[in-house]
């Protein structure tokens, strides 16, 4: 009798579980199916676009017989509305002629048309997408003035109008820049690279209190860049590179600073690097190539454990080279063409992830001591040329089996190097 009751209970449990699974699967399938009007709008959009079918990986596969929520580049919400459309790199050209299909997708939250060649103005229909939070039109071949109506897209969190693959024919009139952005107070990521803004008002960028990324490379910015923007507590990525007439200095950093990348190459930033750079615990990349910085490189930079790329070349730095002893993830260091003096820290060669080291054209002197490469043979490029280094060339250099470039010229090394040692370096170019 006990066995019979147990069996009944077991089969009852299995039955209930089966009903639950069937119901759950039915609900999930119902939710995953896009609505008929959404399918029609998407297919209408596909028919309107001129795209390279050999380059397309998404549009070319859209098929009316399939659930459009499962189409590549399309994402739907639980009801079946299209909320995400990713058509980047689809070989689209010739503009969007019928905007009703795109503007009809009024639940869109993310739209990515990057890496195409539309060859037209930004369609005004995009501006009717009131739910849009992420808009990426980078390198999309749009031309002419950026519509001032962008300022009405108040829900935008990410706006990318950048052009990094060539000449940007998008324009923002200087007087309209502030008007264009002043209502977009929720912006976290702003990319305007390559858009000419020589007379732009810069102070108002500090009003974006939630900004995490500000990318303004190659914008022909002029004048002095406000320190208060660099000090925005939430700012993680700053790119001002290739603005040769832009001046500025690096301010003191607070302990709650969030910077991860700071790219200032080919600007006219000057002054010293502050010791408080040691507060940038998340910093992974700093690039001040071809600037006008002076003074010593702060020793506190050696305490940054997240560093991956350091380029401080073509400046006027003096003093000694930091050992970077805590930067175990450091892959490349370029301190060339400065006025650095003293000896090279022995531990620099043994950093476990280091692949590229440029120290040429400085005033480095003394011997280069042997170092262990047993567990860290990753260095690919080693350039110590045009310094005042002396003594014998360390045997350790010839155990760097992955080494592709070795330049020790323009120093005072002495002694002889056996040909057999060089022959161990099979990868030398």
């Amino acid at each position: 009798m006990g066995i019979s009751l147990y069996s009944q209970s077991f089969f009852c449990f299995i039955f209930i579980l089966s009903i639950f699974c069937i119901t759950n699967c039915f609900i999930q399938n119902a939710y995953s199916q896009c609505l008929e009007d959404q399918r029609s709008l998407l297919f209408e959009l596909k028919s309107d676009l001129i795209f390279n079918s050999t380059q397309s990986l998404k549009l070319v596969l859209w098929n009316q017989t399939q659930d459009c929520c499962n189409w590549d580049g399309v994402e739907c919400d639980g009801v079946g509305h299209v909320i995400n459309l990713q058509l980047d790199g689809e070989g689209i050209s010739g503009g969007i002629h019928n905007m009703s299909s795109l503007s009809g997708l009024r639940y869109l939250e993310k739209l990515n048309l990057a890496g195409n060649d539309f060859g037209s103005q930004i369609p005004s229909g995009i501006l009717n997408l009131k739910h849009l939070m992420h808009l990426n039109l980078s390198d999309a071949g749009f031309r002419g003035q950026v519509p001032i109506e962008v300022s009405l897209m108040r829900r935008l969190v990410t706006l990318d109008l950048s052009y990094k693959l060539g000449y940007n024919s998008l324009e923002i009139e200087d007087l309209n820049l502030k008007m264009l952005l002043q209502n977009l107070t929720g912006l976290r990521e702003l990319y305007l690279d390559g858009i000419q803004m020589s007379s732009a008002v810069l102070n108002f960028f500090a009003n974006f209190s939630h900004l995490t990324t500000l990318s303004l490379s190659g914008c022909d910015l002029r004048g002095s860049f406000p320190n208060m923007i660099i000090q925005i507590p939430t700012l993680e990525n700053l790119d001002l590179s290739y603005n040769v007439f832009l001046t500025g200095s690096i301010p003191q950093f607070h302990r709650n600073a969030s910077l991860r990348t700071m790219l200032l190459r080919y600007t006219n930033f000057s002054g010293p690097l502050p010791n408080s750079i040691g507060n940038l615990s998340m910093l992974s990349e700093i690039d001040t190539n071809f600037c006008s910085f002076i003074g010593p490189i702060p020793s506190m930079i050696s305490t940054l454990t997240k560093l991956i790329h350091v380029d401080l070349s073509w400046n006027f730095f003096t003093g000694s080279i930091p050992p970077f002893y805590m930067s175990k993830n450091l892959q490349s260091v370029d301190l060339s063409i400065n006025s650095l003096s003293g000896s090279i820290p022995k531990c620099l060669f043994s950093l476990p992830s280091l692949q590229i080291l440029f120290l040429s054209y400085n005033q480095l002197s003394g011997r280069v001591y042997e170092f262990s490469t047993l567990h860290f043979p990753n260095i690919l490029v080693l350039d110590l040329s045009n310094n005042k280094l002396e003594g014998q060339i360390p045997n350790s250099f010839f155990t760097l089996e992955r080494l592709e470039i070795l330049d020790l010229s323009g120093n005072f090394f002495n002694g002889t190097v056996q040909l057999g040692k060089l022959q161990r370096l099979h990868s030398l170019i």
Side-chain angles (χ1 to χ4, degrees):
M1 185 68 180
I3 296 175
S4 177
L5 287 173
Y6 174 81
S7 300
Q8 290 178 10
S9 299
F10 176 75
F11 285 118
C12 183
F13 171 75
I14 293 296
F15 176 75
I16 293 172
L17 183 62
S18 301
I19 294 296
F20 172 79
C21 289
I22 292 171
T23 304
N24 190 50
C25 290
F26 174 79
I27 292 172
Q28 285 185 341
N29 287 335
Y31 280 3
S32 68
Q33 292 176 353
C34 75
L35 302 175
E36 184 57 38
D37 70 310
Q38 302 287 283
R39 182 201 311 273
S40 299
L41 288 168
L42 286 172
F43 218 75
E44 214 176 287
L45 177 63
K46 176 184 177 180
S47 300
D48 180 55
L49 294 174
I50 300 171
F51 62 93
N52 186 335
S53 59
T54 60
Q55 183 179 341
S56 171
L57 298 175
K58 301 169 188 175
L59 286 168
V60 72
L61 298 176
W62 287 7
N63 189 322
Q64 290 236 46
T65 63
Q66 296 176 336
D67 179 358
C68 68
C69 289
N70 294 326
W71 290 353
D72 288 338
V74 177
E75 180 186 351
C76 301
D77 61 15
V79 184
H81 297 127
V82 176
I83 58 172
N84 186 357
L85 188 58
Q86 302 286 318
L87 296 181
D88 52 306
E90 285 291 286
I92 301 170
S93 60
I96 301 176
H97 304 291
N98 179 11
M99 273 308 303
S100 60
S101 54
L102 183 57
S103 58
L105 298 169
R106 63 182 189 276
Y107 296 97
L108 268 183
E109 297 176 1
K110 299 178 182 179
L111 177 61
N112 185 354
L113 301 177
N116 289 292
D117 188 17
F118 283 93
S120 65
Q121 289 190 321
I122 295 175
S124 58
I126 290 178
L127 310 177
N128 295 326
L129 300 171
K130 302 301 183 184
H131 292 274
L132 210 58
M133 299 174 67
H134 304 273
L135 178 59
N136 187 348
L137 305 180
S138 63
D139 294 303
F142 287 114
R143 300 173 182 171
Q145 186 68 27
V146 176
I148 195 65
E149 288 81 6
V150 168
S151 63
L152 302 177
M153 305 176 78
R154 297 172 183 266
R155 299 190 64 186
L156 278 182
V157 173
T158 302
L159 176 60
D160 191 343
L161 303 177
S162 64
Y163 208 91
K164 295 188 177 181
L165 300 181
Y167 177 72
N168 193 348
S169 50
L170 271 180
E171 303 170 4
I172 297 179
E173 293 178 2
D174 297 332
L175 294 177
N176 286 344
L177 179 61
K178 187 174 182 180
M179 292 177 60
L180 189 71
L181 300 175
Q182 64 183 354
N183 294 329
L184 309 182
T185 54
L187 275 180
R188 293 182 179 272
E189 299 180 28
L190 178 60
Y191 306 86
L192 299 177
D193 308 86
I195 296 180
Q196 299 305 296
M197 299 184 290
S198 59
S199 302
V201 179
L202 295 176
N203 285 322
F204 83 96
F205 282 114
N207 296 328
F208 299 100
S209 57
H210 303 294
L211 205 61
T212 61
T213 297
L214 180 60
S215 194
L216 302 173
S217 68
C219 291
D220 195 25
L221 296 173
R222 298 170 184 243
S224 180
F225 193 79
N227 282 345
M228 58 184 174
I229 297 176
I230 303 177
Q231 292 174 316
I232 294 175
T234 57
L235 191 64
E236 297 178 0
N237 307 293
L238 177 65
D239 187 355
L240 303 175
S241 55
Y242 301 103
N243 289 290
V244 294
F245 298 109
L246 182 65
T247 62
S249 60
I250 296 183
Q252 296 292 329
F253 293 106
H254 305 298
R255 290 192 177 276
N256 62 344
S258 305
L259 271 178
R260 297 171 182 266
T261 62
M262 183 165 54
L263 310 180
L264 305 175
R265 62 166 39 221
Y266 280 84
T267 65
N268 202 19
F269 269 64
S270 60
L273 291 183
N275 285 322
S276 58
I277 197 171
N279 289 333
L280 302 180
S281 59
M282 301 304 294
L283 191 68
S284 63
E285 182 174 8
I286 179 172
D287 188 342
T288 69
N289 170 262
F290 228 94
C291 293
S292 300
F293 287 102
I294 60 171
I297 300 173
S299 59
M300 292 301 293
I301 200 172
S302 293
T303 66
L304 301 179
T305 59
K306 304 290 186 181
L307 276 181
I308 296 176
H309 302 291
V310 173
D311 189 343
L312 307 180
S313 60
W314 287 87
N315 283 277
F316 304 98
F317 288 115
T318 57
S320 58
I321 295 176
F324 295 103
Y325 56 93
M326 293 182 66
S327 304
K328 305 301 183 184
N329 297 309
L330 196 57
Q331 295 179 12
S332 66
V333 177
D334 190 347
L335 306 180
S336 59
I337 314 179
N338 280 287
S339 297
L340 298 170
S341 57
S343 59
I344 301 175
K346 180 179 177 180
C347 59
L348 195 59
F349 297 108
S350 298
L351 290 172
S353 302
L354 190 66
Q355 298 180 16
I356 298 172
L357 180 60
F358 286 104
L359 300 178
S360 58
Y361 290 95
N362 279 288
Q363 303 295 319
L364 301 173
S365 59
R367 298 175 61 89
V368 180
Y369 294 96
E370 301 288 347
F371 53 91
S372 173
T373 61
L374 182 61
H375 303 292
F376 317 123
N378 295 316
I379 298 180
L380 303 175
V381 177
L382 180 58
D383 187 351
L384 308 182
S385 64
N386 296 286
N387 282 287
K388 299 178 180 179
L389 300 170
E390 58 187 20
Q392 289 194 333
I393 296 174
N395 287 322
S396 308
F397 287 172
F398 304 107
T399 64
L400 299 171
E401 296 181 356
R402 297 184 60 196
L403 201 62
E404 297 176 0
I405 296 175
L406 175 63
D407 192 345
L408 306 176
S409 63
N411 284 288
F412 301 105
F413 289 114
N414 54 38
T416 58
V417 176
Q418 296 178 357
L419 184 60
K421 293 181 179 179
L422 283 173
Q423 290 175 335
R424 296 178 195 165
L425 306 178
H426 303 293
S427 300
L428 274 185
I429 297 175

